[in-house]
Amino acid sequence: MLLNSPEGAYSLPGQKEQKTAIIVIDDFGNNARGTQEIMELPFQVTVAVMPFMPHTVNDAKRAHAAGHDVIVHMPMEALSGKKHWLGPGAITTELTDEEIRRRVHAAIDNVPYAVGMNNHMGSKATVDPRVMRNVLQACKERGLFFLDSHTNYRSVVAKIAGEVNVPSLENHIFLDDIHTRSAIQKQFMLMREHLLRHNVCIAIGHVGTAGKITASVLKEHMEKMSEEQIVFKRLSEFLKPVNKTMSNL
Ligand SMILES: [Zn+2]
C-alpha cells in the first residue's frame, strides 16, 4: 500500500520502506525564544528565516554553519489581521506582477544560503493564482523550491508550481499551534501515526512564545524516533533526485 503513496517512488519493492521526517522551524530573524536551542539541535532541520529583520543575516549564517537548511520565510497576506503585522517586504494581493517579483528577489537576496521558500501567514495570497505565479516564477529564476505552509486548504501553490515547474511540497502537521508541552507532545504522536501510513511527514514548528518548549520536545522526540529508524532529513536533501536515493539502496 505504501508503494502507491505519492512518496512511493522513494522505495524499492521488497525493501523496508524508509520513513522520513522533515522538521521545519519558522519565524527566525528576530532572535525569538528557542533560536539558540534549535540552532544547537543534534539533528538537522530546515530553518525558515524572515527577511529584513534585525537578526535575518546572522540567523541564516548560524543555521547554515550548523548544517541546517536555510529557507526564506516570506511574509504573505492573510485573510484576517492587519497588513503591517506581516513585516517588511510582504507579498500582498494588490501589488503589481513586477512588484511581487521584485519583493521576492529582494527577500532572497536578504537571506544568505537560502535554498527554498515557505510562506509566513499567506491564507489570502496562496489562493491567488496571479500572485503565486509571480512568486513561484521568481523562485524558479533563483533555483528555489517552495514549501506551502498550507494556511488555506484552497491553496493553489501545488497547481501553479506544477505549471511553472518549481519543486513544491506542503506540510502535514503543525507542531505548536497550542503552546503547551502536552499539546506539542501530542503533535509528535500524530507525526508517528502519519508515518505508519506514509513514508514522509513534514512538520512545522516555530521559534517565539513557545520556542523553548518546542525545541526541548523536538530534541526528545527526534532522539526517540531516530532509534525507531525514522530518518530526519533537511528539505533540500529530501528533494534530491529520486535516482540518487535509489542508487543508495
Ligand atoms: Zn511564520
Side-chain angles (χ1 to χ4, degrees):
M1 189 181 78
L2 287 166
L3 290 174
N4 294 327
S5 69
E7 300 89 1
Y10 290 84
S11 311
L12 284 176
Q15 297 273 350
K16 190 177 182 296
E17 294 88 354
Q18 182 184 284
K19 301 291 183 178
T20 302
I22 296 164
I23 305 286
V24 180
I25 305 293
D26 284 353
D27 296 345
F28 283 86
N30 281 304
N31 203 22
R33 267 186 239 173
T35 297
Q36 176 90 6
E37 289 81 355
I38 296 289
M39 293 291 182
E40 292 173 355
L41 279 175
F43 298 91
Q44 288 175 341
V45 298
T46 296
V47 163
V49 185
M50 298 188 72
F52 314 116
M53 293 294 177
H55 294 269
T56 298
V57 174
N58 194 36
D59 281 359
K61 284 183 176 169
R62 263 178 92 185
H64 178 77
H68 303 308
D69 260 5
V70 175
I71 62 175
V72 179
H73 193 44
M74 192 75 207
M76 296 175 81
E77 188 175 355
L79 288 167
S80 57
K82 296 196 171 75
K83 283 184 187 172
H84 73 259
W85 292 352
L86 289 169
I91 301 299
T92 49
T93 53
E94 85 288 354
L95 296 175
T96 63
D97 291 2
E98 292 71 25
E99 181 60 14
I100 292 170
R101 290 181 196 217
R102 194 194 66 75
R103 288 190 183 199
V104 172
H105 279 287
I108 298 168
D109 288 338
N110 193 246
V111 181
Y113 305 108
V115 292
M117 178 175 287
N118 76 342
N119 50 300
H120 170 70
M121 309 185 87
S123 54
K124 186 169 182 187
T126 56
V127 298
D128 187 317
R130 181 190 69 87
V131 171
M132 287 319 301
R133 191 174 299 280
N134 283 291
V135 170
L136 291 162
Q137 190 64 49
C139 285
K140 185 181 182 177
E141 285 160 14
R142 301 294 290 270
L144 269 60
F145 61 80
F146 195 94
L147 170 71
D148 182 4
S149 309
H150 224 225
T151 51
N152 188 329
Y153 73 99
R154 292 180 194 274
S155 166
V156 296
V157 169
K159 179 175 177 286
I160 306 292
E163 289 170 20
V164 176
N165 199 19
V166 170
S168 81
L169 301 134
E170 65 182 45
N171 78 301
H172 304 103
I173 289 171
F174 281 105
L175 293 174
D176 49 11
D177 280 347
I178 303 171
H179 294 170
T180 62
R181 179 170 286 272
S182 62
I184 299 169
Q185 301 267 19
K186 197 173 155 214
Q187 295 308 98
F188 274 95
M189 297 316 292
L190 289 180
M191 230 182 139
R192 279 191 165 81
E193 279 173 29
H194 184 97
L195 284 168
L196 290 175
R197 288 174 281 113
H198 306 275
N199 287 349
V200 181
C201 185
I202 303 177
I204 294 185
H206 301 81
V207 289
T209 317
K212 282 181 192 279
I213 307 175
T214 300
S216 107
V217 179
L218 192 55
K219 185 162 183 273
E220 177 192 327
H221 281 269
M222 286 176 102
E223 278 163 5
K224 276 191 212 157
M225 288 164 81
S226 293
E227 285 164 15
E228 295 162 17
Q229 313 304 319
I230 293 167
V231 177
F232 286 91
K233 287 190 177 173
R234 293 168 286 128
L235 270 174
S236 65
E237 211 179 340
F238 174 69
L239 281 168
K240 276 180 189 167
V242 173
N243 287 343
K244 183 152 197 298
T245 310
M246 306 260 290
S247 66
N248 289 341
L249 288 169

